[in-house]
Structure formats: C-alpha cells, structure tokens
Amino acid sequence: MTVQDLMNKDIVRVVNAGDDTDREIEKVFCCDLLSIAMGKAPAGCAWVTVMANLNTLAVASLADAACVILAEGSQMDENGVKKAQMQGITLLETDAPVFDAALAVYRAMEAEGSPA
C-alpha cells in the first residue's frame, strides 16, 4: 500500500502530503520515545506516535519513515507543519488511540496485499 493509498482511506486526516506519496509503506511502527524510534524505526514505515513536535519530524527524516501518523488527537503546531512541508514529510493525524490507528493501517495493508 502506498502513502497515497493510505491518505485516500478514512483512517487518517492529511496534514501535509509529502514529496513521496507513491512510496510503499513497508511496516507499521509504534513508538513515542524518540531515541528508540531513531534507532529502531524501519525505513519505509508508517510511524504512529503521539509526539507532535519538531524532533519527531527530525527522527522521521533520519529513519526514512514513509509517513508520520499523529494519534490520539495529537496535532503538530504551525511551525511543525511548516517544517514538514519544507522537508517533504507526509504528516497525518487521527483521533484513534495508537494501537487502533496502527491496527487500521496494518489491516488496510493486508487488504491490499502489501507486506506488513
């Protein structure tokens, strides 16, 4: 499943469509500890977190995440949205809890026959 496919579903709201929405989502990754995400987030992941700050975007870039999904109603502030736009990072949000959001993405990937 591509990032664009995910954006077209009712699972998330689009805050910023990044530069590579045709990119395949390889895995779903959940983590709110940035230091762990920096070392363990797999490239091409849909990263689900509640951490809505500039450091999250930096880690997403370093980890080469396909997109960031802010869960539990977390919202990036205006500076963070501008930074996501400047860096071409796809930033999505949902009111769903982290687990429920990740499970919805995983199920959507399975339905499309994508590796999860």
Side-chain angles (χ1 to χ4, degrees):
M1 179 173 72
T2 67
V3 173
Q4 184 64 54
D5 293 334
L6 176 59
M7 290 170 32
N8 292 340
K9 298 191 181 304
D10 288 334
I11 298 171
V12 295
R13 294 181 299 278
V14 177
V15 177
N16 183 64
D19 294 341
D20 196 7
T21 57
D22 290 334
R23 185 171 184 187
E24 285 289 323
I25 296 172
E26 304 293 331
K27 286 191 168 268
V28 182
F29 178 75
C30 301
C31 186
D32 292 325
L33 207 61
L34 298 178
S35 59
I36 290 177
M38 192 180 322
K40 300 222 181 216
C45 70
W47 177 18
V48 185
T49 183
V50 297
M51 298 299 294
N53 61 51
L54 292 175
N55 292 331
T56 300
L57 299 174
V59 170
S61 181
L62 284 171
D64 195 26
C67 62
V68 175
I69 303 169
L70 299 176
E72 312 250 358
S74 293
Q75 295 182 326
M76 191 69 68
D77 65 16
E78 186 177 331
N79 288 335
V81 174
K82 286 180 183 175
K83 187 72 164 179
Q85 291 167 344
M86 286 175 29
Q87 292 186 335
I89 297 171
T90 298
L91 183 61
L92 311 168
E93 63 184 22
T94 180
D95 293 327
V98 170
F99 176 81
D100 294 342
L103 183 59
V105 173
Y106 178 85
R107 286 181 173 159
M109 290 173 67
E110 272 191 328
E112 299 222 1
S114 297

